[in-house]
Amino acid sequence: MNFITPKGTYVKSNNSVSKINRNYLYTLIFFTIYLLIYNLILKDTITILNILKTLLGTTLCSIATDCFFGYVKNNKSKITSTTISIALIITIFNYNEKIMISIIATLISIITKYIYKNISLSCTLYGIIAIYLYRYYQNDFAYPIDDILTIKNLINNQGFIAVLFNNIYITPIVSLLVFFYLFYKKSIKYNIYFSYILTYFIVLLLSGLLNHQDIYYFISTIISSNIFFFSIYLLPDYGITPEISRGQIIYGIILGIITSILTYFIPNIAIIITLIIGPIIFTKHLDNLSIKLKYNEKYYMNIIYICISLVVVTIIMLKLFK
């Protein structure tokens, strides 16, 4: 007897794809409003204008590009919540850069959406890579030591809670509130999120302690990497990530290990690179194993033990090669 593994897009919820996309859009609108209010309280009119100009440019670009490619591919133009969400993600991430860079990143993201089958919001990863290439060309990368000093000064001057709400980096607290909303609405693959974040935290913290690193290094790496924001919007993309919960847990652990290793070599783009290569390399294999993972408890636990062993090996390796 041959088992047939389903290959469609499945989310453990009664929500339709359109409802899930709308929930993501609502949270991104909330995020944008937060940034505007935060800077309004600070009376930072320059930043407010930057956000509004970038939002206008990316939104118009996203709508025009999506309509054009939609008409070319399907002979019809349709603006969806994903269209606007892409513009909002690029705006939130890049409102302090030149507006043309954000427009180019939006254009790349929309084109990727039509090239890469079943991809949703994680198409913006390719646009964000373009932004990082521009920053590298401009020698505008923030180096880890700069992030440590920035976080340390903020904590000493304003307190730890103030840092969590500060918009120098994409605000961790607001990101967590967004996660709880999406979790409540059953619009996020939380198994991937939890296993990824937990693995990353464990490896980073334990390897840092073994290397006698300052606690500020751990805090600054977590905050400056924008891991909460990226892992909510770009990690659990329902169309290109494993379908069953056990596959999602393994997927999250593997990607957490990869991000931890890359953080020591390319800290600025470690998460972005991981989230790009993850679906390409691992999703299909884990989906092909979905029957075994779901119904063979021993097989699943063996895979988990292997993943835990890899976590331990990664921690030891980062200790030895630091």
Side-chain angles (χ1 to χ4, degrees):
M1 179 181 292
N2 292 324
F3 288 100
I4 299 175
T5 304
K7 297 296 181 185
T9 298
Y10 297 90
V11 179
K12 194 175 182 180
S13 166
N14 293 325
N15 287 344
S16 66
V17 170
S18 59
K19 284 183 180 179
I20 291 170
N21 287 337
R22 281 199 299 271
N23 288 332
Y24 272 93
L25 175 60
Y26 298 152
T27 62
L28 285 164
I29 292 172
F30 169 74
F31 224 121
T32 307
I33 292 171
Y34 169 81
L35 289 176
L36 290 169
I37 293 174
Y38 182 92
N39 287 284
L40 185 65
I41 293 171
L42 295 179
K43 299 180 180 179
D44 189 347
T45 53
I46 294 176
T47 300
I48 292 173
L49 288 174
N50 285 341
I51 294 172
L52 294 175
K53 286 190 295 185
T54 305
L55 179 59
L56 178 62
T58 55
T59 302
L60 291 176
C61 175
S62 187
I63 291 172
T65 309
D66 209 4
C67 287
F68 173 77
F69 281 99
Y71 184 80
V72 169
K73 187 174 181 179
N74 304 316
N75 204 28
K76 63 178 181 179
S77 299
K78 184 179 180 182
I79 301 171
T80 64
S81 53
T82 302
T83 308
I84 308 301
S85 293
I86 290 169
L88 287 170
I89 289 174
I90 297 295
T91 299
I92 292 168
F93 180 74
N94 200 53
Y95 60 83
N96 279 324
E97 297 283 356
K98 292 180 180 179
I99 187 171
M100 186 54 64
I101 304 304
S102 297
I103 290 174
I104 292 172
T106 305
L107 179 64
I108 292 171
S109 301
I110 295 292
I111 292 173
T112 304
K113 184 166 76 80
Y114 280 93
I115 294 174
Y116 197 150
K117 187 178 179 182
N118 294 328
I119 200 170
S120 184
L121 293 182
S122 58
C123 66
T124 53
L125 288 166
Y126 296 84
I128 291 171
I129 279 290
I131 293 171
Y132 274 121
L133 288 173
Y134 170 78
R135 291 179 183 177
Y136 178 77
Y137 176 75
Q138 295 291 320
N139 197 25
D140 193 26
F141 262 142
Y143 295 97
I145 187 64
D146 298 326
D147 289 324
I148 293 171
L149 293 174
T150 300
I151 297 294
K152 193 171 185 177
N153 289 333
L154 284 171
I155 292 175
N156 290 335
N157 295 330
Q158 301 179 22
F160 183 69
I161 299 300
V163 172
L164 296 179
F165 284 95
N166 199 293
N167 70 334
I168 292 178
Y169 306 103
I170 301 175
T171 314
I173 289 295
V174 179
S175 296
L176 289 173
L177 290 175
V178 164
F179 168 77
F180 289 126
Y181 171 80
L182 294 172
F183 179 80
Y184 172 73
K185 288 290 186 178
K186 298 181 180 178
S187 299
I188 188 170
K189 290 183 175 179
Y190 56 86
N191 289 309
I192 297 178
Y193 179 84
F194 281 127
S195 58
Y196 176 73
I197 291 285
L198 189 61
T199 302
Y200 181 69
F201 278 20
I202 289 172
V203 174
L204 199 67
L205 180 61
L206 294 182
S207 61
L209 291 174
L210 290 173
N211 285 311
H212 308 291
Q213 290 171 335
D214 195 315
I215 189 63
Y216 287 109
Y217 177 84
F218 174 74
I219 296 172
S220 67
T221 303
I222 295 299
I223 295 177
S224 64
S225 66
N226 298 315
I227 188 171
F228 295 110
F229 182 82
F230 288 138
S231 12
I232 289 170
Y233 290 106
L234 309 181
L235 168 67
D237 196 324
Y238 50 81
I240 58 173
T241 51
E243 296 163 4
I244 67 169
S245 58
R246 290 184 171 183
Q248 292 167 16
I249 292 170
I250 294 168
Y251 180 80
I253 295 173
I254 293 172
L255 264 58
I257 292 170
I258 294 173
T259 305
S260 304
I261 295 171
L262 292 180
T263 297
Y264 278 82
F265 301 100
I266 45 173
N268 293 292
I269 58 173
I271 295 174
I272 305 300
I273 296 298
T274 304
L275 301 191
I276 287 176
I277 66 175
I280 297 172
I281 298 175
F282 301 109
T283 297
K284 184 177 179 181
H285 297 296
L286 288 170
D287 281 343
N288 288 338
L289 294 173
S290 60
I291 298 296
K292 279 189 176 181
L293 291 173
K294 187 171 184 179
Y295 297 108
N296 191 329
E297 187 72 23
K298 184 178 180 181
Y299 181 81
Y300 170 66
M301 290 310 300
N302 286 338
I303 298 293
I304 290 294
Y305 292 145
I306 291 172
C307 289
I308 293 172
S309 300
L310 288 174
V311 169
V312 174
V313 169
T314 302
I315 294 170
I316 295 171
M317 183 184 71
L318 293 176
K319 163 64 179 173
L320 295 176
F321 292 97
K322 178 62 179 174

